[in-house]
Amino acid sequence: FALAYVNKAVEILSSIKETESALADCYNLLGAIYHHRQDFKKGLDYFSLAEEIFKHTSEKDLLANVYVNISYLELDNGDYNKANEYARKALELFKEVNDGKGIATAYINLQVANYNANENPKSQNYKNELQNCITLLDSAVNSIKDIRSPEHLITIYQNKTELYEYLGNIDSSYAYLQKYLVLKDSLYEISKQKQIQELRIQYEANKKEKDNEVLAAQNKSKSYFIIIIITGAALAVTIL
């Protein structure tokens, strides 16, 4: 259904010149949909269309989001050099617009791309690459130090747990594992409380709706009763 709606939006927006940015947003969304479906070629085609429009409109933050999406796609596609390239493009633009969360996302994608491109333990530079990955994650942490962004931190903690394990630094690996588990439990609790709150709101809304239906039915019954009394009184007067 989402695909059909977005395609319809593209059809409408394509004929309106003043809606270039909205059209690019649709292309970006279509790219994400096809990426999710593992159709990497079609996903990349739509991301490229969005890229060209945002280059033309000079919307750096939106262009950076497209570059991040291409980086994610190339990570899943196994092209780690391309993933690295687009993560760096995104990083540059996110820095220009001072988007801390965007910067963190780009650094994390760079770390994942670098690790996967150099994951051979027999390589002479293996440990250096692992250390470089940790440095990239440190940069990600630094970019969100003044922002509450647990969704980034949980990924950083998880990745650092694995990287320190591969380096043989068990103490650091365990320390980040503990941070990861604590944050994971915290996010789970927040999510659970949010669900409970949503259920409570829904329950209260349903209860109010039913109460209103009951009240309306009672008022309707009272109206009928009053009509019956008035009608009866009128008949009595007529008879008399």
Side-chain angles (χ1 to χ4, degrees):
F1 289 110
L3 184 60
Y5 282 124
V6 179
N7 278 325
K8 186 63 178 177
V10 167
E11 182 183 335
I12 295 169
L13 294 170
S14 295
S15 61
I16 308 172
K17 188 177 180 181
E18 292 76 14
T19 59
E20 277 189 309
S21 292
L23 179 60
D25 281 332
C26 288
Y27 286 145
N28 192 31
L29 182 55
L30 283 169
I33 290 172
Y34 280 108
H35 174 194
H36 181 70
R37 294 183 173 189
Q38 302 291 298
D39 190 340
F40 300 123
K41 184 183 182 304
K42 209 160 189 176
L44 186 57
D45 286 343
Y46 279 112
F47 285 142
S48 297
L49 289 171
E51 176 187 5
E52 289 306 311
I53 293 176
F54 286 138
K55 278 183 177 178
H56 175 69
T57 59
S58 299
E59 294 172 278
K60 293 181 179 179
D61 54 336
L62 299 178
L63 180 57
N65 286 328
V66 173
Y67 286 154
V68 159
N69 285 340
I70 294 176
S71 179
Y72 276 127
L73 181 147
E74 296 296 4
L75 284 174
D76 286 344
N77 195 30
D79 192 337
Y80 303 120
N81 289 330
K82 279 288 185 183
N84 187 307
E85 175 189 342
Y86 279 94
R88 289 191 181 281
K89 286 183 177 183
L91 178 61
E92 182 180 340
L93 291 177
F94 280 133
K95 283 183 175 180
E96 287 185 31
V97 297
N98 196 30
D99 184 337
K101 290 186 177 182
I103 292 169
T105 300
Y107 273 126
I108 291 170
N109 280 18
L110 278 172
Q111 178 265 302
V112 175
N114 282 3
Y115 172 75
N116 283 286
N118 302 279
E119 62 175 338
N120 182 7
K122 295 180 180 179
S123 169
Q124 292 182 344
N125 295 323
Y126 180 64
K127 286 195 173 183
N128 289 338
E129 290 300 334
L130 290 178
Q131 194 58 57
N132 181 48
C133 286
I134 290 171
T135 301
L136 289 170
L137 293 178
D138 287 339
S139 297
V141 171
N142 189 56
S143 70
I144 53 173
K145 63 183 179 181
D146 298 323
I147 310 170
R148 175 168 171 75
S149 186
E151 66 274 15
H152 286 93
L153 285 176
I154 197 166
T155 300
I156 292 167
Y157 293 159
Q158 184 178 27
N159 291 4
K160 278 194 170 188
T161 297
E162 295 175 0
L163 291 169
Y164 277 118
E165 181 184 356
Y166 298 148
L167 280 169
N169 190 336
I170 303 303
D171 289 343
S172 293
S173 178
Y174 181 74
Y176 278 103
L177 176 61
Q178 292 300 108
K179 287 185 177 184
Y180 167 75
L181 293 175
V182 169
L183 184 55
K184 183 181 178 182
D185 288 344
S186 174
L187 291 177
Y188 173 75
E189 187 61 30
I190 291 171
S191 176
K192 187 170 70 174
Q193 290 301 322
K194 184 179 179 181
Q195 289 178 348
I196 292 172
Q197 181 64 18
E198 288 173 351
L199 287 171
R200 183 181 293 116
I201 291 171
Q202 185 64 44
Y203 168 77
E204 290 175 355
N206 290 340
K207 184 174 183 298
K208 186 175 181 179
E209 184 179 347
K210 287 181 180 179
D211 288 344
N212 288 338
E213 289 175 359
V214 170
L215 183 61
Q218 290 175 343
N219 289 336
K220 192 174 182 180
S221 297
K222 288 179 180 177
S223 298
Y224 285 146
F225 184 66
I226 291 170
I227 290 170
I228 289 170
I229 292 175
I230 293 173
T231 303
L235 287 172
V237 170
T238 302
I239 293 170
L240 291 172

